[in-house]
Amino acid sequence: MTAAAKIKNIPEHRHNLKVRRMDFEFSDDIPEFWYGNDPFRTLLMAAMSAGFPEGERFFIDSVRQFRDRITDPELQQAVSAFIGQEAHHSKEHDVLNTLMKKRGYNIGRIERGVRGAMKMFRTKFSPERQLAHTAAVEHFTALMSEQYLLNEEILSEFDPRMVTLWAWHAIEETEHKAVAFDVYKTIGGDEWTRLSAMAMASVLFVGFTSYDFYTLVRESGHAGDAKMWLKGLDYYWGRKGVFRKMIPAYLQYYRRDFHPWQHDSRAQVERIKQKYLGDKA
Ligand SMILES: [Fe+2]
Ligand SMILES: [Fe+2]
């Protein structure tokens, strides 16, 4: 039994991952604001997308360096699939990032920033802390997927040519949400490193994403658009705001007995898979 399997209330066979090869092409007639026809929402997603390729390469390496310490065959297989999934996400988000570059957004600056931060993590952090960082950011991507994107109403607001990228990525983030976490538990990672890595990842992720997002808004010419700011801030942080609603689920990570699969999202993901990826029921 793996260390993670001793945690209560998690499905035994939770690692059910499939590597799906996609090949997106985004045509020039996709509107500039391809999510909700809204600069705020579109550019927030674009800021995240800009950081994905470099970030995901780091996630892959941080998990891969512990591969030979995993004896559970199911987790071993999950690690291979995790690496495959993240590698494909990087490749496909590069396609979106290229589209945004063509439209005059300085995505290269964001990429260089994330590359620099990841290089610093690789040289300054222990392998265990690098893995803890990955497990922490994977909690963010799982929250973004389960509490936000994997929802038909939300997805219907994306341009139809862009929606599959986001649905596919969110589905796979949910499928592999516990892989880095389970590897961390398997190698006997300690609680202080796990929790302090989450605290640090939260500050960096929120701080850098907000800044990068702001630079894109400035480049779009909407920085002075008060109506856009009010609407966007209300959408994410207002009384019923998407991010505000995520806070309780975010905080669960700090519990000693936390495990990503205590929130069983398989039924929710299944519906979205069938609709957007054509997976069979
Ligand atoms: Fe990913
Ligand atoms: Fe991921």
Side-chain angles (χ1 to χ4, degrees):
M1 191 190 269
T2 63
K6 288 180 203 140
I7 298 172
K8 283 192 189 122
N9 304 326
I10 55 174
E12 198 188 338
H13 299 293
R14 57 196 169 276
H15 295 303
N16 183 18
L17 285 71
K18 184 169 162 188
V19 181
R20 303 168 182 85
R21 283 165 180 73
M22 308 303 254
D23 208 0
F24 294 108
E25 276 176 39
F26 298 123
S27 53
D28 289 333
D29 60 341
I30 291 176
E32 181 177 8
F33 303 122
W34 35 259
Y35 174 25
N37 222 352
D38 179 54
F40 194 107
R41 280 186 270 163
T42 302
L43 297 174
L44 183 59
M45 290 295 144
M48 286 191 228
S49 175
F52 285 152
E54 288 296 338
E56 289 172 322
R57 275 189 271 280
F58 175 87
F59 301 160
I60 290 173
D61 293 342
S62 69
V63 170
R64 188 160 24 209
Q65 55 194 339
F66 290 105
R67 217 175 185 175
D68 56 356
R69 286 177 54 186
I70 303 162
T71 50
D72 174 14
E74 190 183 325
L75 187 56
Q76 256 172 359
Q77 238 181 29
V79 165
S80 302
F82 169 84
I83 292 171
Q85 288 187 336
E86 293 291 30
H88 285 285
H89 301 166
S90 296
K91 176 177 160 280
E92 299 305 327
H93 276 275
D94 268 334
V95 182
L96 170 58
N97 297 343
T98 303
L99 176 80
M100 297 306 285
K101 283 177 192 170
K102 271 207 285 193
R103 292 177 167 187
Y105 289 100
N106 192 355
I107 299 294
R109 188 202 63 76
I110 302 176
E111 290 172 333
R112 286 191 297 279
V114 179
R115 193 177 311 138
M118 295 303 114
K119 193 171 165 202
M120 196 270 282
F121 286 7
R122 288 174 207 265
T123 49
K124 302 270 188 241
F125 289 172
S126 67
E128 184 182 292
R129 183 166 284 280
Q130 292 178 34
L131 180 61
H133 177 77
T134 297
V137 180
E138 287 287 299
H139 185 53
F140 273 105
T141 54
L143 290 177
M144 282 289 289
S145 303
E146 294 170 345
Q147 316 272 338
Y148 180 26
L149 291 171
L150 293 176
N151 175 317
E152 286 181 44
E153 216 176 295
I154 302 286
L155 287 171
S156 71
E157 296 199 58
F158 281 82
D159 182 274
R161 291 156 292 182
M162 199 65 87
V163 70
T164 317
L165 168 73
W166 292 96
W168 162 70
H169 194 169
I171 286 165
E172 294 194 351
E173 287 306 317
T174 312
E175 284 179 348
H176 74 225
K177 65 177 175 173
V179 174
F181 186 93
D182 281 350
V183 173
Y184 188 76
K185 289 284 171 181
T186 299
I187 64 151
D190 68 85
E191 281 295 277
W192 158 249
T193 307
R194 180 175 79 83
L195 301 183
S196 56
M198 177 47 115
M200 195 195 73
S202 307
V203 174
L204 293 180
F205 184 67
V206 174
F208 278 105
T209 305
S210 306
Y211 177 71
D212 293 338
F213 159 65
Y214 176 69
T215 64
L216 298 182
V217 173
R218 220 174 38 202
E219 287 161 18
S220 77
H222 283 272
D225 182 346
K227 216 171 123 196
M228 180 210 75
W229 285 109
L230 287 174
K231 202 174 111 200
L233 288 170
D234 184 56
Y235 183 82
Y236 286 104
W237 289 110
R239 233 159 41 89
K240 291 187 180 162
V242 173
F243 289 159
R244 185 193 278 231
K245 277 197 295 191
M246 278 182 205
I247 293 172
Y250 160 75
L251 288 173
Q252 284 175 4
Y253 196 85
Y254 293 92
R255 285 198 338 232
R256 279 196 85 82
D257 66 346
F258 169 80
H259 187 279
W261 276 109
Q262 283 158 346
H263 178 71
D264 192 346
S265 50
R266 284 176 295 186
Q268 174 193 8
V269 176
E270 209 46 54
R271 280 195 306 275
I272 302 291
K273 266 192 217 171
Q274 285 169 31
K275 174 149 186 194
Y276 290 93
L277 302 181
D279 279 24
K280 301 276 176 291

